[in-house]
Structure formats: structure tokens, C-alpha cells
């Protein structure tokens, strides 16, 4: 073997290594994009489920009113509807965050905005939740079934 043959073999190996490195980078980026997409889709599915729960909970309360003749507070219905709207807004914010299409700065700003609204809505949920729990225990007491109160405490 002479030096020219070694140089040509070396160059062919370098080209092959460069091509393999590019393939690895593209494969890694596709995997990370699919992972981000699946996490985003899971989060959206969770918020959609919360929207459904918040919409159907007042209907369940009305059904309880019909079955047990217990007055359902209107504030409970409004609390569930407000939380359904909050969850709907969170879905819209999460849909806007597409890390594969945004720059790093835009993605960080969008994620920070989502987290900020998440904290605000969690605080709003706590504010709406405490009176709801008190009203719920009052409804359990009016039903006259002590096991309902015990189940409420355990739940």
C-alpha cells in the first residue's frame, strides 16, 4: 500500500463517519420531537378530561337534587363552570406551545406563560374548592346518612 491509497481510504471513512453522525443527529431530533409531542398530547388529554368532569359535575349535582331532594347551591355549579373555562384556556395555551417549530426563546416564553397561568388557576381552584367542600359536607349532613359524611372525610 502506498500513501495515496491510505489517504483515499481515510477520506472515504471520514465521509462515511460524517454521514453517520448526521443521520444520528436527525434521528435524535426526531425522537425528541416525538417525545415532546407525546408529552404535550398527554397533557392536553388530561385537561380535556378535566373539562369533561367540570361540565358534567353540575349535571350530577342536579341528579342528586332530584333523587335525594337536597338543594344544590348555585355557587357549586358556577365553580365547576369557571374551572371548566380555566381548563379550556389551559388547553389553548398548551396547544400553542410547539417546541419543534419555536425558537428556544419563544419556547421558554410560552412554557413560562403556561406555568404562570397554571399557578393562577391552581390558586383559583383552591379558593373555589374550600367553600365547595364545606357546602358538600352540609349537603351530606342534610341527607341524614352518617356514612355519606364518613365517605366524604375519607375521600
Amino acid at each position: 500500500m502506498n500513501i495515496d491509497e491510505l489517504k483515499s481510504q481515510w477520506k472515504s471513512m471520514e465521509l462515511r463517519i460524517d454521514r453517520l453522525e448526521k443521520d444520528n443527529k436527525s434521528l435524535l431530533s426526531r425522537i425528541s420531537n416525538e417525545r415532546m409531542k407525546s408529552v404535550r398530547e398527554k397533557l392536553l388529554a388530561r385537561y380535556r378530561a378535566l373539562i369533561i368532569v367540570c361540565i358534567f359535575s353540575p349535571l350530577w349535582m342536579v341528579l342528586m337534587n332530584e333523587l335525594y331532594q337536597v338543594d344544590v347551591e348555585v355557587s357549586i355549579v358556577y365553580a365547576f363552570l369557571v374551572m371548566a373555562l380555566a381548563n379550556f384556556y389551559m388547553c389553548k395555551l398548551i396547544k400553542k406551545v410547539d417546541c419543534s417549530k419555536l425558537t428556544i426563546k419563544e419556547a421558554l416564553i410560552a412554557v413560562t406563560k403556561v406555568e404562570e397561568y397554571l399557578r393562577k388557576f391552581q390558586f383559583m381552584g383552591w379558593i373555589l374548592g374550600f367553600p365547595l367542600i364545606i357546602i358538600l359536607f352540609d349537603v351530606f349532613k342534610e341527607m341524614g346518612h352518617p356514612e355519606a359524611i364518613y365517605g366524604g372525610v375519607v375521600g
Side-chain angles (χ1 to χ4, degrees):
M1 271 197 200
N2 62 19
I3 293 184
D4 292 331
E5 287 178 23
L6 287 173
K7 283 182 183 180
S8 66
Q9 287 180 357
W10 182 264
K11 285 182 182 181
S12 68
M13 289 178 68
E14 273 186 357
L15 291 174
R16 184 170 179 238
I17 289 173
D18 289 340
R19 185 179 52 83
L20 289 174
E21 284 179 354
K22 286 179 186 178
D23 290 345
N24 284 342
K25 285 180 184 178
S26 68
L27 182 63
L28 184 63
S29 70
R30 282 193 312 182
I31 289 171
S32 66
N33 286 340
E34 288 300 316
R35 181 168 175 238
M36 277 299 286
K37 184 177 179 183
S38 67
V39 169
R40 187 170 146 239
E41 292 302 319
K42 287 178 187 176
L43 194 58
L44 283 171
R46 180 172 289 173
Y47 276 104
R48 286 182 190 123
L50 286 172
I51 291 169
I52 291 170
V53 167
C54 288
I55 288 175
F56 284 111
S57 291
L59 298 175
W60 176 254
M61 297 281 182
V62 170
L63 180 64
M64 279 182 53
N65 186 23
E66 294 296 321
L67 292 176
Y68 296 111
Q69 311 312 348
V70 177
D71 291 330
V72 176
E73 298 286 330
V74 177
S75 59
I76 295 174
V77 174
Y78 287 132
F80 277 114
L81 294 179
V82 166
M83 290 311 296
L85 288 173
N87 288 323
F88 178 75
Y89 188 73
M90 284 299 293
C91 273
K92 284 180 62 174
L93 284 177
I94 293 169
K95 281 182 184 178
K96 288 181 184 177
V97 178
D98 189 6
C99 292
S100 62
K101 294 180 182 176
L102 299 175
T103 64
I104 293 174
K105 181 181 176 183
E106 292 170 342
L108 286 174
I109 290 170
V111 169
T112 305
K113 185 177 179 182
V114 168
E115 288 178 351
E116 177 186 343
Y117 276 101
L118 179 64
R119 283 192 300 273
K120 287 178 183 178
F121 290 148
Q122 284 175 342
F123 182 70
M124 183 176 63
W126 282 104
I127 290 173
L128 292 172
F130 279 126
L132 181 68
I133 290 171
I134 292 169
I135 292 169
L136 192 61
F137 278 110
D138 186 48
V139 167
F140 288 159
K141 187 181 84 175
E142 287 179 12
M143 285 173 53
H145 299 291
E147 58 271 3
I149 296 174
Y150 302 144
V153 169
V154 170

